[in-house]
Amino acid sequence: MTAPYVPQIRLYQQWLAEHRGLRFDDYDALWRWSTTDLDGFWQSIWDYFEMQSPTPHTTVLTHNVMPGATWFSGARVNYAQQVFRHVQPAHEAGFAAVVSRNEKGRRTELSWPELRRQVASLAQHLQAQGVQPGDRVAAYLPNIPEAMVAFLATVSLGAVWSICAPDMGTNAVLDRFRQIEPVVLIACDGVSYGGRDHDRLGVVAELRAALPTVRHVLLHTNLAEDEAAQAKALLAAAPCTSFAAATARDDAATAAFEPVWLPFDHPLWIVYSSGTTGLPKPIVHGHGGTVIVGLALKSLHNDIGCSYHPNSWGERYHWYSSTGWVMWNAQTSGLLNGTTCVIYDGNPGGTKDKPDWTTLWRFAAEERVTFFGAGAAFFANCLKAGVDLSTCGDLSAVRALGTTGSPLSEDAQNWGTQQFRLLRDASQAPDGSPQGSPKANPPPRGAATRAAAERGGDIWWCNISGGTDFAGAFIGGNRELPQTPGRMQCRLLGCAVESWNEQGEPVIDEVGELVCAQPIPSMPLYFVGDVDNKRLLGSYFDMYPPGKGRKPGGGVPLPPRSPAARGPLPPEGAVPALGRPGDRDLDASAGAVWRHGDWLRIHADGSCVIYGRSDATINRHGLRMGTSELYSAVEALPEVLDSMVVDLEYLGRESDMPLFVVLREGVALDDALKARINDRIKTALSPRFIPNGIFQVPEIPRTLSGKKQELPIKKLLLGQPLEKVINREAMANPGCLDWYVAFARQRATA
């Protein structure tokens, strides 16, 4: 008989007790240790996951400073090395590395040895083109195995990876890739989405022409299926090399290939997270920080185990994403822990003519997915569409649902919980035993064990919130804790997260700014082209004074203070503040806390709710875009003099994004102009950013310095009184506010 499944976080706590002598009464105590002994916690993660380095590290955290913390000095790592550790044991156990399918039903299964061979082949091809450590490789690819292969090949050499999704328009892609000056472009001929083929060869040509640093192009024929069509696509993109040819090598050199060992903080990839002004921020993360945080997040909090480990035998991990969202990076990180990644490329909601929100569920049933993740908007759409999961096939292997991208409403979570409750009840005989004959395709042994262990309980929701900014999560799940619909269960280990009120004080049971008061290994190394870290500081560290809220906890210790200098200890039960009794804030040299840009409530039991963005960034279906990018597109139209957009994402409300435009004299906002504006946004950015409504206004509210007043108008439209959200005396045109007040009143009564 197979032993009962043990949650991953419990296994870690058992390891801490056995190897460190550390035992904690509850999760809160464990979390507090992880955020006050940064050296001890992150060293334990290194040891628990048996991370390897040919050279030892001299310190865990050299200096407790933000930004600029230095982690694991002296260690050498490589993301691809960590992945390749699993090739032999996973393959011998009979598990694939990647299973994929697209809208057309094309299914690919990539074994671990084949993944390694293709990565080695492509890496050697890139080497032959002169690609060196630190060079940038840009990809324009959908969510397919080839993207994972290209990523691993790139980073195995120490080159730096960056990817954009083919649903992004030329301007949006160039706004990103121009900044990073890539030497190689890996692209596709097109994609299938929503029942239609979308040719991208024209975009590829535009990218090549506008990126003078690119000296080599690889083309994956994603649409072309027969040899003649593939040859035609390659000819149209010439000069280029076939991606299939570049990954076809299979010889002694390929078999002997090994990823290079790199410093812990060597750049891994560049991702993009937009603010409200300027170009998208090209954020650079490092190999070591991304690996160690990814292992901790996936295993301990998302409860995703290694597919060939007896406790999690048969794990199959799916998180629906496009390559334009950091959840693609999160899906790929399943390979770090030896987990089979199950990916889908296409529209999860069917076609415009025939909407079908059962698509992903049927896919999950057929592929025996054990962890099913998607954006919160996906589950909300399933609820609205009245999806009945009993019609989607055998979902008995699914034992966890993951969500992120926007706040998950209580209604959507209750819908999913009830659906799986009905599935469970329907599969049980009156005596509690499974009904029906043995299945032709039974769930993997580990999945069956988990289902048996959890029978009678509700499906577990792993609701997480984090970001592209640090390639991780601040808040998320814990298989061992109670779950409340609409909430995330806890602050994650190592993440010193607090909610601060307008006075910059940590609060419980109040909505405030999400801040992180201690460094995390995956925080950005830097932004590309960011002189003196000005954009980095302005994005995360300039809201609060340096030193405020920063506590000791790791790195080079501060000089000891006398008891008299410390002052009285805080009263018993004063839990909102981080740190240990008697700790005082570090001085200004420690830097400032990380301000993330989300509204957060931390409940007394440690559970959390994200209410939406506290800044003016647009968050549509999990993909963030700076308002400035939309303005560049809209205001390029000759009829539009000025514009302002606000994303009214907030917990319990469907995302609503009105666009306000000031038009030239004599121009009317008719249907034809609205269509042109929408088409411009669709072409330049993505269809995701088409506004819910377009409204002609006399003026856009601006500060005395000329900045658009997006956030005050956002707060006004979310129901806050005008006098609390805006200072008329600081405005250049306060008279224009009457229009927005009337608009807000009309919305509230609609």
Side-chain angles (χ1 to χ4, degrees):
M1 181 177 177
T2 307
Y5 173 74
V6 182
Q8 301 293 326
I9 198 165
R10 192 190 308 170
L11 292 175
Y12 169 66
Q13 289 181 265
Q14 292 171 354
W15 183 91
L16 283 177
E18 179 181 351
H19 294 272
R20 297 289 193 270
L22 294 172
R23 293 172 176 83
F24 302 94
D25 293 336
D26 53 23
Y27 178 76
D28 184 70
L30 173 64
W31 174 79
R32 288 184 180 280
W33 166 73
S34 76
T35 56
T36 53
D37 184 2
L38 301 181
D39 298 276
F41 170 68
W42 288 109
Q43 181 66 56
S44 79
I45 297 298
W46 178 286
D47 294 340
Y48 180 71
F49 289 102
E50 299 178 346
M51 287 184 63
Q52 298 175 350
S53 170
T55 56
H57 54 269
T58 55
T59 58
V60 175
L61 175 59
T62 304
H63 294 287
N64 187 356
V65 61
M66 291 202 295
T70 302
W71 295 90
F72 293 94
S73 298
R76 300 184 74 81
V77 297
N78 190 301
Y79 191 110
Q81 282 277 8
Q82 175 68 28
V83 171
F84 284 0
R85 291 173 59 181
H86 302 289
V87 170
Q88 183 175 344
H91 184 62
E92 289 177 351
F95 297 116
V98 184
V99 177
S100 81
R101 199 186 304 180
N102 67 6
E103 280 189 352
K104 297 180 178 180
R106 184 193 304 162
R107 185 182 186 276
T108 303
E109 188 164 310
L110 198 61
S111 71
W112 283 91
E114 179 63 7
L115 172 69
R116 189 194 184 286
R117 187 201 64 74
Q118 289 190 25
V119 169
S121 175
L122 181 56
Q124 290 175 314
H125 175 83
L126 293 173
Q127 277 184 319
Q129 308 308 312
V131 174
Q132 301 290 323
D135 284 345
R136 285 81 181 256
V137 173
Y140 187 62
L141 295 169
N143 185 24
I144 52 179
E146 289 79 2
M148 291 182 169
V149 168
F151 160 63
L152 291 172
T154 297
V155 304
S156 71
L157 302 175
V160 187
W161 170 259
S162 191
I163 189 168
C164 283
D167 69 344
M168 297 175 68
T170 306
N171 291 350
V173 176
L174 287 175
D175 280 348
R176 288 153 175 78
F177 286 169
R178 272 190 180 124
Q179 296 185 74
I180 69 171
E181 299 181 327
V183 299
V184 173
L185 175 64
I186 306 176
C188 64
D189 60 341
V191 292
S192 298
Y193 192 87
R196 295 175 53 200
D197 288 346
H198 302 269
D199 184 279
R200 288 293 181 261
L201 287 172
V203 177
V204 174
E206 291 178 296
L207 295 179
R208 164 183 249 147
L211 296 170
T213 56
V214 170
R215 58 177 185 258
H216 185 63
V217 175
L218 283 156
L219 186 76
H220 168 59
T221 50
N222 188 55
L223 284 185
E225 297 186 2
D226 59 71
E227 290 187 10
Q230 291 168 359
K232 183 178 179 181
L234 290 166
L235 182 62
C240 68
T241 296
S242 161
F243 186 90
T247 55
R249 184 172 175 177
D250 188 5
D251 54 18
T254 304
F257 175 80
E258 289 292 335
V260 298
W261 292 103
L262 302 162
F264 188 87
D265 60 356
H266 185 85
L268 170 71
W269 59 39
I270 301 168
V271 292
Y272 306 89
S273 184
S274 297
T276 56
T277 59
L279 292 169
K281 299 173 293 190
I283 304 171
V284 183
H285 297 132
H287 274 253
T290 303
V291 169
I292 198 168
V293 169
L295 287 169
L297 171 60
K298 285 294 166 307
S299 180
L300 306 187
H301 286 287
N302 293 6
D303 200 41
I304 298 167
C306 171
S307 294
Y308 59 86
H309 191 283
N311 183 62
S312 47
W313 190 267
E315 190 83 272
R316 290 167 82 88
Y317 167 45
H318 166 75
W319 201 303
Y320 176 77
S321 177
S322 79
T323 51
W325 188 20
V326 75
M327 293 314 297
W328 178 84
N329 307 67
Q331 170 77 82
T332 302
S333 72
L335 298 172
L336 292 171
N337 201 35
T339 307
T340 298
C341 293
V342 182
I343 63 177
Y344 183 84
D345 179 40
N347 189 340
T351 67
K352 184 179 293 186
D353 297 333
K354 295 181 179 179
D356 180 7
W357 289 98
T358 69
T359 300
L360 281 186
W361 296 111
R362 290 184 283 106
F363 167 69
E366 291 161 8
E367 296 298 344
R368 310 305 297 161
V369 166
T370 56
F371 186 105
F372 180 96
F378 169 79
F379 294 99
N381 280 316
C382 290
L383 165 63
K384 289 187 291 183
V387 168
D388 179 358
L389 294 188
S390 68
T391 67
C392 298
D394 182 3
L395 289 163
S396 61
V398 177
R399 47 89 190 179
L401 301 175
T403 71
T404 190
S406 59
L408 179 71
S409 71
E410 184 176 341
D411 288 344
Q413 183 164 341
N414 283 334
W415 168 84
T417 299
Q418 180 63 17
Q419 286 286 315
F420 274 88
R421 192 179 294 159
L422 293 172
L423 292 179
R424 177 201 66 205
D425 294 345
S427 68
Q428 300 299 306
D431 63 358
S433 61
Q435 285 185 334
S437 58
K439 298 181 179 65
N441 184 20
R445 176 162 55 91
T449 303
R450 285 192 288 276
E454 296 157 12
R455 185 169 291 134
D458 283 331
I459 189 80
W460 177 59
W461 286 85
C462 181
N463 304 334
I464 67 173
S465 181
T468 301
D469 314 75
F470 64 103
F474 282 138
I475 304 165
N478 181 334
R479 174 70 77 164
E480 300 276 75
L481 293 178
Q483 58 180 1
T484 302
R487 296 188 193 178
M488 288 165 279
Q489 290 171 293
C490 61
R491 292 171 280 184
L492 300 197
L493 296 177
C495 299
V497 169
E498 292 185 317
S499 174
W500 283 15
N501 63 18
E502 292 184 359
Q503 288 72 47
E505 301 165 338
V507 292
I508 295 292
D509 274 330
E510 294 181 29
V511 177
E513 286 279 354
L514 190 163
V515 304
C516 184
Q518 297 282 30
I520 298 170
S522 63
M523 284 179 174
L525 302 176
Y526 54 88
F527 292 174
V528 175
D530 186 15
V531 179
D532 297 328
N533 274 347
K534 288 181 179 178
R535 291 195 74 193
L536 178 66
L537 291 166
S539 297
Y540 310 112
F541 299 105
D542 70 347
M543 186 165 182
Y544 301 103
K548 180 176 177 56
R550 294 282 287 110
K551 294 289 190 291
V556 176
L558 296 172
R561 291 174 175 168
S562 67
R566 288 196 191 104
L569 295 180
E572 194 70 30
V575 295
L578 293 164
R580 295 157 290 204
D583 278 348
R584 290 294 187 91
D585 288 356
L586 299 173
D587 62 29
S589 66
V593 298
W594 172 291
R595 180 253 186 173
H596 194 57
D598 279 339
W599 278 313
L600 166 70
R601 181 197 297 267
I602 303 170
H603 291 269
D605 64 357
S607 63
C608 300
V609 179
I610 294 287
Y611 287 83
R613 295 294 300 173
S614 62
D615 60 19
T617 304
I618 306 168
N619 184 0
R620 297 284 274 183
H621 313 298
L623 184 64
R624 284 175 58 186
M625 184 76 70
T627 52
S628 61
E629 294 185 79
L630 190 142
Y631 300 148
S632 294
V634 171
E635 293 170 19
L637 294 171
E639 298 92 339
V640 180
L641 294 175
D642 203 358
S643 63
M644 182 178 70
V645 67
V646 291
D647 182 4
L648 301 178
E649 175 203 19
Y650 198 75
L651 182 66
R653 306 184 188 192
E654 185 176 358
S655 177
D656 184 18
M657 192 175 81
L659 171 66
F660 306 103
V661 293
V662 178
L663 302 179
R664 291 190 182 277
E665 187 174 353
V667 175
L669 184 63
D670 55 18
D671 290 343
L673 181 54
K674 288 181 180 179
R676 289 187 64 204
I677 292 173
N678 285 335
D679 187 62
R680 177 70 183 170
I681 294 170
K682 178 180 177 180
T683 302
L685 304 178
S686 166
R688 301 191 197 196
F689 297 100
I690 293 175
N692 294 86
I694 304 175
F695 304 92
Q696 184 173 356
V697 295
E699 288 183 275
I700 299 300
R702 291 183 178 272
T703 64
L704 291 171
S705 61
K707 184 179 179 181
K708 298 181 184 184
Q709 295 277 59
E710 298 151 315
L711 188 54
I713 297 302
K714 174 177 178 175
K715 291 180 177 180
L716 175 69
L717 297 182
L718 286 174
Q720 297 187 39
L722 180 67
E723 61 273 12
K724 288 193 173 184
V725 301
I726 201 163
N727 178 6
R728 287 177 176 268
E729 294 181 359
M731 289 188 63
N733 53 350
C736 76
L737 291 176
D738 292 343
W739 188 96
Y740 295 92
V741 171
F743 181 78
R745 189 179 301 118
Q746 180 183 357
R747 278 177 52 89
T749 57

